[in-house]
């Protein structure tokens, strides 16, 4: 059986191939580019937020979807989660260094789109 390019790259360990189904980076890409992942990363670009602040900043997201999205992004190492032992517990989220690196081009994309769509550029 002939060895494929994806198999050689995975074995060499030089670079992840996100097109390969077993690529560990593929899950991270899926979480970042999910419907809500992009909005969570953009919402956290300036400062850390509590769960309810994130929920309020992202219109249309349910608590269940926010919790699921946050869980994936924390697991990927893109955001950190801090729980204050109060009643009820206060949970705060923020970007890790990795999350800032990944979020930067998303923020640039968001800024370019909103600038292009601004009322000043219409016409």
């Amino acid at each position: 059986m002939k060895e494929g390019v994806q198999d050689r790259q995975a074995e060499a360990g030089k670079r992840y191939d996100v097109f390969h189904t077993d690529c560990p980076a593929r899950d991270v890409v899926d979480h970042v580019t999910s419907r809500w992942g992009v909005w969570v990363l953009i919402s956290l670009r300036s400062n850390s937020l509590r769960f309810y602040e994130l929920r309020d900043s992202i219109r249309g997201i349910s608590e269940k979807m926010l919790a699921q999205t946050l869980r994936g992004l924390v697991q990927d190492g893109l955001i950190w989660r801090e729980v204050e032992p109060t009643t009820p517990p206060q949970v705060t989220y923020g970007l890790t260094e990795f999350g800032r690196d990944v979020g930067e081009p998303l923020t640039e994309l968001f800024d370019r789109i909103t600038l292009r769509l601004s009322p000043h550029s219409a016409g």
Side-chain angles (χ1 to χ4, degrees), residues 44 47-49 78-81 92-96:
L44 292 172
N47 56 338
S48 58
L49 296 171
L78 294 163
I79 62 175
W80 51 262
R81 178 180 188 265
T92 305
Y93 296 89
L95 293 177
T96 63

Side-chain angles (χ1 to χ4, degrees), residues 6-108:
Q6 293 175 345
D7 294 331
R8 285 194 306 272
Q9 285 181 341
E11 287 174 13
K14 292 181 182 175
R15 185 172 180 185
Y16 289 118
D17 182 359
V18 295
F19 294 105
H20 193 280
T21 56
D22 294 333
C23 177
R26 192 171 183 158
D27 287 338
V28 176
V29 171
D30 286 345
H31 291 149
V32 168
T33 60
S34 71
R35 178 174 182 187
W36 301 111
V38 170
W39 298 114
V40 168
L41 292 174
I42 289 173
S43 294
L44 292 172
R45 72 183 180 261
S46 300
N47 56 338
S48 58
L49 296 171
R50 292 199 172 132
F51 183 89
Y52 74 89
E53 293 171 320
L54 264 172
R55 183 198 62 213
D56 292 347
S57 73
I58 305 171
R59 307 249 186 233
I61 192 169
S62 68
E63 287 191 16
K64 177 183 176 183
M65 284 309 303
L66 178 57
Q68 184 178 328
T69 302
L70 289 167
R71 196 169 18 257
L73 294 172
V74 167
Q75 183 179 2
D76 294 338
L78 294 163
I79 62 175
W80 51 262
R81 178 180 188 265
E82 181 179 80
V83 180
E84 295 177 36
T86 58
T87 305
Q90 294 181 349
V91 184
T92 305
Y93 296 89
L95 293 177
T96 63
E97 184 179 336
F98 181 36
R100 284 189 297 277
D101 287 346
V102 169
E104 188 175 320
L106 296 175
T107 299
E108 290 175 17

Side-chain angles (χ1 to χ4, degrees), residues 104-118 121:
E104 188 175 320
L106 296 175
T107 299
E108 290 175 17
L109 176 65
F110 176 78
D111 290 345
R112 285 181 188 196
I113 291 170
T114 55
L115 179 63
R116 188 64 101 140
L117 295 176
S118 71
S121 63

